[in-house]
């Protein structure tokens, strides 16, 4: 369905703007009027990472008058494979600052507002209230639900995107005209069920595919042209090179935007709502957690341990802790790998950061391996504390 323009047009375009945006101006559906609306628009991009990079670049190039960037992270070398708004010289720099510099290089006519902070319950309303449209480039469920809830409560539309390996999704959520994110996903998935990009990887160019779709939807909303993805979920498979659209209806029983909402304010703790790790894992790690330094002491002392790496084979090929045996978490959770584990040696589990090993530890405890422990911080802690020469990923 077509929707009215989200913003009013600016008073005029300068001669420089007419020259810069000439290819927009000669498109009948955009024209001078549409470009004036883009000039007058204020768009916030949540995240300057995989999706935020192409989104910010193309929003800037399109002439969106004010771009807000919220990101508290710094540029890491592993980001450069997909986060094209940053360069080698930006490694270690604030992502928000790095992105702002790239935007100014592309289009100095754009006003950039930097929010070099973590988005949380205390600041999300204030930050969102200053913008017409939100572009969601987040990579975790806790922030996604918070972005959705704040947008609904403030009456703001937002463009959502998600990427993983070769698959991408995009939609527009605007409770005033269609469903919200909770209508599509009423509850977050169980902890550990959906791997993050850091755990499962993502094809770099997929970010550009989904990020450009997000910008396309943003432009349509701002200028009031075409049919935005309100009430539709676009699913993209890069390996099959296929697109399909799924209808998403507004849920009359939605706890947030339904007929009788029960969620009328932001949640107290979105991390708790989404559950970084399961209750079983939280209980399992109590008095069963060691540090990377303790693991090294055990190894040096010749303690009889069986060190298990619960990551995936591709991760194991990149970097591994010496002496570890690869048994992916899924094989432990399913029970398939239990027969491979010795009964007469202490089992020590680790993953990349400690989340997956905690889940695997819970399964082992339930199976009777009472003395099993896991390494807090996993491979990342080993690299930081023991061997900085190993590649972080």
């Amino acid at each position: 369905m077509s929707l009215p323009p989200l913003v009013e047009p600016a008073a005029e375009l300068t001669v420089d703007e007419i020259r810069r945006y000439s290819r927009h101006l000669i498109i009948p559906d955009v024209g001078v009027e549409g470009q004036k609306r883009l000039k007058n628009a204020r768009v916030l991009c949540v995240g300057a990472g995989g999706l935020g990079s192409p989104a910010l670049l193309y929003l800037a190039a399109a002439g969106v008058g004010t771009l807000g960037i919220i990101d508290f992270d710094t540029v890491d070398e592993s980001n450069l494979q997909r986060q094209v708004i940053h360069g080698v010289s930006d490694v270690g720099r604030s992502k928000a600052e790095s992105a702002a510099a790239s935007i100014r290089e592309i289009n100095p006519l754009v006003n950039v507002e930097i929010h070099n902070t973590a988005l949380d319950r205390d600041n999300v309303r204030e930050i969102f209230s200053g913008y017409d449209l939100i572009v969601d480039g987040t990579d975790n469920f806790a922030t996604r639900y918070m972005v959705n809830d704040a947008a609904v409560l403030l009456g703001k539309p937002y463009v959502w995107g998600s990427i993983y390996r070769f698959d991408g999704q995009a939609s527009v959520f605007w409770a005033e005209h269609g469903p919200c994110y909770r209508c599509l996903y009423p509850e977050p998935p169980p902890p550990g069920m959906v791997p993050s990009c850091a755990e499962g990887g993502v094809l770099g160019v997929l970010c550009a595919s989904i990020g450009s779709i997000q910008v396309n939807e943003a432009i349509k909303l701002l200028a009031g042209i075409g049919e935005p993805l309100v009430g539709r979920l676009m699913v993209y498979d890069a390996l099959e090179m296929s697109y399909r659209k799924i209808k998403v209806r507004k849920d009359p029983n939605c706890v947030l935007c339904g007929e009788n909402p029960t969620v009328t304010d932001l949640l107290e703790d979105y991390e708790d709502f989404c559950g970084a790790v399961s209750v079983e894992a939280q209980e399992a790690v109590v008095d069963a957690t060691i540090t990377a330094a303790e693991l090294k002491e055990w190894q040096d002392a010749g303690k009889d341990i069986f060190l298990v790496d619960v990551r995936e084979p591709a991760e194991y090929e990149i970097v591994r802790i010496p002496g570890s045996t690869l048994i992916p978490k899924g094989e432990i959770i399913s029970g398939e790998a239990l027969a491979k584990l010795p009964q007469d040696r202490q089992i020590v589990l680790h993953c990349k950061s400690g989340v997956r090993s905690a889940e695997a530890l819970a399964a082992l405890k339930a199976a009777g391996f009472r003395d099993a422990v896991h390494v807090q911080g996993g491979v990342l802690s080993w690299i930081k504390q023991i061997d900085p020469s190993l590649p972080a990923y």
Side-chain angles (χ1 to χ4, degrees), residues 46 119 124 128 134-136 138 142-152 158 266 270:
V46 183
L119 192 68
V124 63
F128 278 19
I134 314 299
V135 175
D136 183 10
T138 57
T143 309
R144 286 174 185 167
Y145 278 97
M146 182 172 62
V147 167
N148 176 78
D149 294 359
V152 171
Y158 78 98
L266 297 173
Y270 283 89

mmCIF file of all heavy atoms in Angstrom, residues 46 119 124 128 134-136 138 142-152 158 266 270:
data_model
loop_
_atom_site.group_PDB
_atom_site.id
_atom_site.type_symbol
_atom_site.label_atom_id
_atom_site.label_comp_id
_atom_site.label_asym_id
_atom_site.label_seq_id
_atom_site.Cartn_x
_atom_site.Cartn_y
_atom_site.Cartn_z
ATOM 1 N N VAL A 46 20.751 2.937 13.554
ATOM 2 C CA VAL A 46 21.188 2.255 14.771
ATOM 3 C C VAL A 46 22.239 1.229 14.384
ATOM 4 O O VAL A 46 21.940 0.172 13.845
ATOM 5 C CB VAL A 46 20.007 1.577 15.489
ATOM 6 C CG1 VAL A 46 20.486 0.931 16.797
ATOM 7 C CG2 VAL A 46 18.899 2.570 15.770
ATOM 8 N N LEU A 119 22.913 2.218 22.979
ATOM 9 C CA LEU A 119 21.479 2.476 23.055
ATOM 10 C C LEU A 119 20.900 1.652 24.199
ATOM 11 O O LEU A 119 21.111 0.442 24.275
ATOM 12 C CB LEU A 119 20.815 2.090 21.737
ATOM 13 C CG LEU A 119 19.370 2.555 21.524
ATOM 14 C CD1 LEU A 119 19.319 4.076 21.385
ATOM 15 C CD2 LEU A 119 18.768 1.903 20.289
ATOM 16 N N VAL A 124 16.931 5.691 24.793
ATOM 17 C CA VAL A 124 16.355 5.391 23.485
ATOM 18 C C VAL A 124 15.211 6.327 23.107
ATOM 19 O O VAL A 124 15.115 6.788 21.968
ATOM 20 C CB VAL A 124 15.907 3.907 23.418
ATOM 21 C CG1 VAL A 124 14.809 3.599 24.429
ATOM 22 C CG2 VAL A 124 15.460 3.567 22.008
ATOM 23 N N PHE A 128 15.524 8.696 19.819
ATOM 24 C CA PHE A 128 14.579 8.436 18.729
ATOM 25 C C PHE A 128 13.667 9.631 18.449
ATOM 26 O O PHE A 128 13.278 9.878 17.301
ATOM 27 C CB PHE A 128 13.717 7.220 19.052
ATOM 28 C CG PHE A 128 14.366 5.894 18.757
ATOM 29 C CD1 PHE A 128 15.746 5.794 18.620
ATOM 30 C CD2 PHE A 128 13.605 4.741 18.608
ATOM 31 C CE1 PHE A 128 16.353 4.573 18.355
ATOM 32 C CE2 PHE A 128 14.200 3.526 18.331
ATOM 33 C CZ PHE A 128 15.577 3.430 18.206
ATOM 34 N N ILE A 134 13.741 5.560 11.632
ATOM 35 C CA ILE A 134 14.831 4.781 12.205
ATOM 36 C C ILE A 134 15.201 3.674 11.213
ATOM 37 O O ILE A 134 14.321 3.001 10.668
ATOM 38 C CB ILE A 134 14.420 4.134 13.548
ATOM 39 C CG1 ILE A 134 13.697 5.143 14.458
ATOM 40 C CG2 ILE A 134 15.626 3.508 14.226
ATOM 41 C CD1 ILE A 134 14.519 6.333 14.837
ATOM 42 N N VAL A 135 16.488 3.502 10.985
ATOM 43 C CA VAL A 135 16.987 2.362 10.217
ATOM 44 C C VAL A 135 17.718 1.449 11.187
ATOM 45 O O VAL A 135 18.700 1.854 11.818
ATOM 46 C CB VAL A 135 17.941 2.809 9.081
ATOM 47 C CG1 VAL A 135 18.542 1.589 8.390
ATOM 48 C CG2 VAL A 135 17.199 3.674 8.072
ATOM 49 N N ASP A 136 17.219 0.225 11.334
ATOM 50 C CA ASP A 136 17.745 -0.705 12.334
ATOM 51 C C ASP A 136 18.826 -1.585 11.720
ATOM 52 O O ASP A 136 18.539 -2.451 10.895
ATOM 53 C CB ASP A 136 16.598 -1.564 12.877
ATOM 54 C CG ASP A 136 17.058 -2.512 13.967
ATOM 55 O OD1 ASP A 136 18.202 -2.368 14.435
ATOM 56 O OD2 ASP A 136 16.279 -3.407 14.349
ATOM 57 N N THR A 138 20.989 -3.330 13.823
ATOM 58 C CA THR A 138 21.501 -4.045 14.994
ATOM 59 C C THR A 138 21.705 -5.524 14.693
ATOM 60 O O THR A 138 21.166 -6.061 13.717
ATOM 61 C CB THR A 138 20.545 -3.908 16.189
ATOM 62 O OG1 THR A 138 19.245 -4.401 15.808
ATOM 63 C CG2 THR A 138 20.399 -2.465 16.597
ATOM 64 N N ALA A 142 18.117 -8.446 21.778
ATOM 65 C CA ALA A 142 17.746 -7.513 22.843
ATOM 66 C C ALA A 142 17.555 -6.102 22.287
ATOM 67 O O ALA A 142 16.562 -5.433 22.585
ATOM 68 C CB ALA A 142 18.814 -7.522 23.935
ATOM 69 N N THR A 143 18.501 -5.649 21.465
ATOM 70 C CA THR A 143 18.390 -4.301 20.907
ATOM 71 C C THR A 143 17.273 -4.222 19.891
ATOM 72 O O THR A 143 16.580 -3.208 19.787
ATOM 73 C CB THR A 143 19.725 -3.875 20.266
ATOM 74 O OG1 THR A 143 20.780 -4.085 21.196
ATOM 75 C CG2 THR A 143 19.695 -2.406 19.885
ATOM 76 N N ARG A 144 17.061 -5.283 19.115
ATOM 77 C CA ARG A 144 15.973 -5.285 18.133
ATOM 78 C C ARG A 144 14.621 -5.077 18.800
ATOM 79 O O ARG A 144 13.800 -4.299 18.328
ATOM 80 C CB ARG A 144 15.964 -6.599 17.347
ATOM 81 C CG ARG A 144 17.076 -6.706 16.323
ATOM 82 C CD ARG A 144 17.091 -8.073 15.690
ATOM 83 N NE ARG A 144 18.223 -8.224 14.783
ATOM 84 C CZ ARG A 144 18.625 -9.381 14.284
ATOM 85 N NH1 ARG A 144 17.985 -10.496 14.603
ATOM 86 N NH2 ARG A 144 19.660 -9.429 13.471
ATOM 87 N N TYR A 145 14.383 -5.799 19.884
ATOM 88 C CA TYR A 145 13.101 -5.643 20.570
ATOM 89 C C TYR A 145 12.978 -4.252 21.194
ATOM 90 O O TYR A 145 11.897 -3.662 21.190
ATOM 91 C CB TYR A 145 12.928 -6.734 21.631
ATOM 92 C CG TYR A 145 12.422 -8.042 21.055
ATOM 93 C CD1 TYR A 145 13.298 -9.075 20.737
ATOM 94 C CD2 TYR A 145 11.064 -8.237 20.805
ATOM 95 C CE1 TYR A 145 12.851 -10.263 20.191
ATOM 96 C CE2 TYR A 145 10.599 -9.426 20.269
ATOM 97 C CZ TYR A 145 11.498 -10.435 19.957
ATOM 98 O OH TYR A 145 11.042 -11.615 19.405
ATOM 99 N N MET A 146 14.062 -3.731 21.710
ATOM 100 C CA MET A 146 14.016 -2.392 22.288
ATOM 101 C C MET A 146 13.754 -1.343 21.211
ATOM 102 O O MET A 146 12.967 -0.412 21.422
ATOM 103 C CB MET A 146 15.320 -2.078 23.017
ATOM 104 C CG MET A 146 15.324 -0.701 23.693
ATOM 105 S SD MET A 146 16.789 -0.439 24.729
ATOM 106 C CE MET A 146 18.090 -0.552 23.499
ATOM 107 N N VAL A 147 14.416 -1.470 20.058
ATOM 108 C CA VAL A 147 14.177 -0.542 18.947
ATOM 109 C C VAL A 147 12.720 -0.585 18.531
ATOM 110 O O VAL A 147 12.068 0.444 18.344
ATOM 111 C CB VAL A 147 15.092 -0.883 17.753
ATOM 112 C CG1 VAL A 147 14.636 -0.145 16.493
ATOM 113 C CG2 VAL A 147 16.543 -0.532 18.071
ATOM 114 N N ASN A 148 12.190 -1.786 18.402
ATOM 115 C CA ASN A 148 10.782 -1.931 18.013
ATOM 116 C C ASN A 148 9.853 -1.291 19.029
ATOM 117 O O ASN A 148 8.949 -0.520 18.680
ATOM 118 C CB ASN A 148 10.440 -3.413 17.867
ATOM 119 C CG ASN A 148 8.969 -3.629 17.563
ATOM 120 O OD1 ASN A 148 8.518 -3.452 16.441
ATOM 121 N ND2 ASN A 148 8.198 -4.027 18.580
ATOM 122 N N ASP A 149 10.061 -1.606 20.297
ATOM 123 C CA ASP A 149 9.160 -1.111 21.332
ATOM 124 C C ASP A 149 9.194 0.408 21.419
ATOM 125 O O ASP A 149 8.153 1.059 21.530
ATOM 126 C CB ASP A 149 9.534 -1.726 22.685
ATOM 127 C CG ASP A 149 9.301 -3.232 22.727
ATOM 128 O OD1 ASP A 149 8.840 -3.790 21.711
ATOM 129 O OD2 ASP A 149 9.590 -3.847 23.768
ATOM 130 N N ALA A 150 10.396 0.979 21.341
ATOM 131 C CA ALA A 150 10.509 2.433 21.407
ATOM 132 C C ALA A 150 9.855 3.084 20.200
ATOM 133 O O ALA A 150 9.167 4.109 20.319
ATOM 134 C CB ALA A 150 11.982 2.834 21.487
ATOM 135 N N ALA A 151 10.041 2.489 19.013
ATOM 136 C CA ALA A 151 9.439 3.041 17.803
ATOM 137 C C ALA A 151 7.918 3.015 17.884
ATOM 138 O O ALA A 151 7.245 3.989 17.521
ATOM 139 C CB ALA A 151 9.927 2.266 16.579
ATOM 140 N N VAL A 152 7.368 1.913 18.369
ATOM 141 C CA VAL A 152 5.912 1.813 18.488
ATOM 142 C C VAL A 152 5.385 2.820 19.495
ATOM 143 O O VAL A 152 4.402 3.535 19.245
ATOM 144 C CB VAL A 152 5.494 0.384 18.881
ATOM 145 C CG1 VAL A 152 4.002 0.331 19.209
ATOM 146 C CG2 VAL A 152 5.818 -0.597 17.758
ATOM 147 N N TYR A 158 10.103 2.299 11.319
ATOM 148 C CA TYR A 158 11.517 1.945 11.186
ATOM 149 C C TYR A 158 11.689 0.838 10.163
ATOM 150 O O TYR A 158 10.803 0.011 9.947
ATOM 151 C CB TYR A 158 12.146 1.606 12.529
ATOM 152 C CG TYR A 158 11.871 0.234 13.107
ATOM 153 C CD1 TYR A 158 12.801 -0.802 12.962
ATOM 154 C CD2 TYR A 158 10.719 -0.015 13.831
ATOM 155 C CE1 TYR A 158 12.578 -2.040 13.532
ATOM 156 C CE2 TYR A 158 10.487 -1.251 14.404
ATOM 157 C CZ TYR A 158 11.414 -2.268 14.245
ATOM 158 O OH TYR A 158 11.189 -3.496 14.801
ATOM 159 N N LEU A 266 8.635 0.612 27.961
ATOM 160 C CA LEU A 266 9.830 -0.170 27.682
ATOM 161 C C LEU A 266 10.081 -1.174 28.798
ATOM 162 O O LEU A 266 9.789 -0.900 29.967
ATOM 163 C CB LEU A 266 11.041 0.749 27.538
ATOM 164 C CG LEU A 266 11.012 1.748 26.373
ATOM 165 C CD1 LEU A 266 12.198 2.694 26.474
ATOM 166 C CD2 LEU A 266 11.014 1.033 25.038
ATOM 167 N N TYR A 270 15.989 -5.781 28.610
ATOM 168 C CA TYR A 270 15.813 -6.519 27.357
ATOM 169 C C TYR A 270 16.770 -7.694 27.243
ATOM 170 O O TYR A 270 16.462 -8.692 26.584
ATOM 171 C CB TYR A 270 15.961 -5.567 26.160
ATOM 172 C CG TYR A 270 14.725 -4.725 25.942
ATOM 173 C CD1 TYR A 270 14.581 -3.496 26.570
ATOM 174 C CD2 TYR A 270 13.685 -5.183 25.142
ATOM 175 C CE1 TYR A 270 13.434 -2.731 26.398
ATOM 176 C CE2 TYR A 270 12.539 -4.437 24.962
ATOM 177 C CZ TYR A 270 12.417 -3.206 25.588
ATOM 178 O OH TYR A 270 11.271 -2.465 25.423
#
